[in-house]
Amino acid sequence: MRDGGRLSAAIEVLSEVETRHRPVQLALRDWGTSHRFAGSGDRTVIGNLVYDALRYRQSLAWRMGSDEPRVLVLATYVLTWEQGLDRLKTVLAEDHHAPEPLSETEEQRLTAAPDGAPEAQDAADVPAWLWPSFTEIFGDAAEAEGRALATRAPIDMRVNTLKSNRDKLLKRLAHAGAEATAIAATGLRIAPKAGSARMPHVQAEEGYQKGWFELQDEASQIVSLLAGAKAGEQVLDLCAGGGGKTLALAASMENKGQIYAYDADRLRLAPIHDRLKRAGAHNVQVRDPASSKLDDLKDGMDLVFIDAPCTGTGVWRRRPDSKWKLTEKALADRIEDQARVLETAATYVKPGGRLAYVTCSVLPQENSGQIKAFLERHPEFSVRPALGLWQGLFGTDKDPVHAGELGDLLLTPATTGTDGFYFALLERAA
């Protein structure tokens, strides 16, 4: 395929996403299935166009005066990918699979921005109804934080210290451009590429197949380390999902002690079994919600880890379509879920034990708001200041910008170069 056909395909896929409210991954997969002539390189370019159009949907719509899929895709090609207007006009003229030629209005908007400046939430590509929450937590930095959440994400990997070490993997993955992450000593990173470029398929690497590393954003690695799981402890991962943080905790514990991995949704939990085997994690007991309970763990855990259900506003770089689908009702539902999970988790923490609360959200309602409300209901818990934990693990030269007065932390793409993650560590009185 040439660029003209790729542009048409991206417009078709984005239209499917917008009109039928389909997840972008499914829409791209189905397009590829029904267009077998498209090679892997073509599918990469089409996917990149669609994802970038969604990342910058609001700012591009302001520039173009329209949020129609055709307009967004063409603007992505010209402006975001910096291909230029002349290149686009050539592509449209020379490829009979290309979209229709530019209208006078489209050409004018691609040539020059409208008078005035966009509203801050438009420049930041943040939905208008969420903007008050962004300004509440970020203040004057809200626009910069939103812009950072709209960029492409890197590929981050966690070295599985049960089987390997970072120096070894840096050599093994040098051909893919892997470098050490800036904060977590367990992390490797492959920087995102621009435009039509393809990222390496690291899951095909020998190291992944042998369990030497896992795909995991550095923020997820950081919060797992901050939880302070130690060898010999009893740990409950209450919302384990596919097991990413379970594996990180197992490595921190050097396979000693016991982790109980549980999730209310057994389908989410299903991948954990293969991942545990590949990683060589032997101190994990998976509790299937359909056939087992957690009653025997009440008041007995040194650490209860909650990767709470949330809106996912901190991972917009990886799932840009989700920001435009998020609703006020969905946020309210997640807030209810979080409060319920916190109440449940508290029953498993032993006197003197710890409760780690984590979300991949940047919204204060899901983060500090939840912790404040929990502490009011449970005076037997207090916050252990996370900044001290951070400095003990990572030093004082990388202190996070968003260290709250409550003792919590917020990681963001703009300040820590990671996904957006919230962390608070609570202690139950002995």
Side-chain angles (χ1 to χ4, degrees), residues 158 214-216 220 224 240-249 272 275:
R158 179 184 60 80
E214 289 284 335
L215 292 175
Q216 188 174 37
S220 186
S224 300
K245 295 179 183 67
T246 306
L247 294 172
L249 294 170
I272 196 172
R275 296 182 73 182

Side-chain angles (χ1 to χ4, degrees), residues 17 37 58 65 104 114 314 400 416 424:
V17 171
F37 59 83
Q58 202 152 289
E104 184 177 338
T416 51

Side-chain angles (χ1 to χ4, degrees), residues 157-356:
M157 296 158 281
R158 179 184 60 80
V159 178
N160 178 17
T161 53
L162 298 176
K163 287 190 170 184
S164 190
N165 61 71
R166 185 155 71 171
D167 288 341
K168 175 182 176 180
L169 284 173
L170 282 170
K171 294 176 182 177
R172 291 275 186 166
L173 296 172
H175 67 279
E179 298 180 347
T181 50
I183 301 169
T186 54
L188 301 173
R189 171 169 295 176
I190 300 173
K193 301 181 187 299
S196 61
R198 182 191 306 185
M199 294 292 281
H201 183 53
V202 296
Q203 287 164 295
E205 295 285 340
E206 176 191 21
Y208 180 81
Q209 300 296 326
K210 291 187 174 180
W212 298 344
F213 69 86
E214 289 284 335
L215 292 175
Q216 188 174 37
D217 183 76
E218 188 184 14
S220 186
Q221 299 177 46
I222 289 169
V223 297
S224 300
L225 291 167
L226 287 171
K230 301 177 183 66
E233 288 191 324
Q234 297 290 301
V235 175
L236 171 60
D237 189 354
L238 188 59
C239 305
K245 295 179 183 67
T246 306
L247 294 172
L249 294 170
S252 293
M253 296 168 67
E254 301 174 352
N255 256 342
K256 300 171 184 175
Q258 185 71 64
I259 300 174
Y260 302 91
Y262 178 87
D263 197 286
D265 185 344
R266 68 183 313 211
L267 292 179
R268 282 173 48 108
L269 197 60
I272 196 172
H273 300 282
D274 288 340
R275 296 182 73 182
L276 290 170
K277 184 177 180 180
R278 188 176 67 246
H282 306 307
N283 66 331
V284 179
Q285 182 183 133
V286 180
R287 293 287 183 96
D288 188 323
S291 59
S292 62
K293 297 183 179 180
L294 301 174
D295 293 347
D296 58 314
L297 307 184
K298 293 283 181 70
D299 295 315
M301 297 294 101
D302 295 291
L303 170 66
V304 177
F305 193 99
I306 306 172
D307 185 5
C310 70
T311 56
T313 52
V315 294
W316 279 349
R317 297 189 303 173
R318 303 181 190 279
R319 288 178 273 178
D321 55 327
S322 67
K323 78 165 88 173
W324 312 115
K325 295 177 180 178
L326 184 59
T327 64
E328 293 182 68
K329 182 182 184 305
L331 173 57
D333 289 346
R334 295 295 79 76
I335 290 173
E336 287 185 11
D337 293 340
Q338 291 153 7
R340 186 164 52 248
V341 169
L342 274 165
E343 287 300 308
T344 300
T347 67
Y348 299 110
V349 182
K350 75 177 188 181
R354 312 181 307 284
L355 192 163

